[in-house]
Amino acid sequence: MSDPDPQQPIGPTDTDVLMMRRALELARHAAEMGEAPVGCIIYETGTGRVLGEGANLRERDNDPTAHAEIIAIRAAASAVGDWRLNHCTLVVTLEPCPMCAGAIVSARLGRVVFGASDPKAGACGSLMSLTQDTRLNHRVAPVAGVLAHEAGELLRAFFRARRGNG
């Protein structure tokens, strides 16, 4: 069983905030395409080098697994040439769902940073804590709330407009 790496930063870093700003750009682009506005970046924790990014593409691809995190994880693993991403940080605008949290654990990501919490489907502390479940072979404590207001407002505005309320 692997425990969280004591070398990994616990709170948000300046790089996390910078990457969250890029993830928000990706989320806005997703919204322009009619997708739920979620964006994700994976970067190498020590260097800040971006290895993968993604935005929701479920509608475009008719693919229930085309979440921003899954797309970014695939891109990062391809860039690294390895499925193990323990030296990386995943930054996403919305708290990962159970599917994405499972992929985060499976990819052995070193850190997870998210913006808005998701009380209906969040699996990094809101609804459940899948990424910290001691029964699994890898754990990663999430860093929550980075640019949460901006991420949350982007989601609220998108869904208000979809419902015709704004």
Side-chain angles (χ1 to χ4, degrees):
M1 301 280 180
S2 68
D3 286 318
D5 184 349
Q7 300 295 325
Q8 299 286 8
I10 294 173
T13 66
D14 291 342
T15 304
D16 294 337
V17 174
L18 178 70
M19 295 298 172
M20 184 63 78
R21 292 195 191 291
R22 173 65 183 145
L24 285 163
E25 288 176 25
L26 292 168
R28 283 189 279 278
H29 181 66
E32 290 167 5
M33 296 187 306
E35 299 282 351
V38 179
C40 182
I41 300 286
I42 296 178
Y43 73 91
E44 199 169 50
T45 304
T47 67
R49 182 171 65 113
V50 174
L51 300 171
E53 51 183 45
N56 274 6
L57 296 174
R58 291 188 321 170
E59 299 297 330
R60 186 196 78 180
D61 294 354
N62 291 313
D63 180 355
T65 69
H67 288 203
E69 299 96 323
I70 300 298
I71 293 164
I73 288 169
R74 287 177 180 155
S78 180
V80 171
D82 192 352
W83 60 268
R84 295 168 195 88
L85 301 174
N86 55 308
H87 62 294
C88 299
T89 296
L90 180 144
V91 177
V92 63
T93 57
L94 179 64
E95 180 180 0
C97 71
M99 175 184 70
C100 293
I104 288 164
V105 169
S106 292
R108 312 288 195 270
L109 274 144
R111 298 180 68 239
V112 175
V113 176
F114 67 87
S117 294
D118 187 352
K120 293 183 179 179
C124 292
S126 290
L127 187 63
M128 63 185 73
S129 297
L130 191 64
T131 58
Q132 297 180 84
D133 191 318
T134 59
R135 297 169 294 179
L136 299 175
N137 62 342
H138 179 74
R139 286 170 293 288
V140 54
V143 177
V146 176
L147 300 181
H149 178 75
E150 193 173 338
E153 188 50 42
L154 182 60
L155 286 155
R156 283 186 292 278
F158 175 80
F159 287 109
R160 262 194 317 268
R162 294 281 300 254
R163 289 188 301 268
N165 299 335

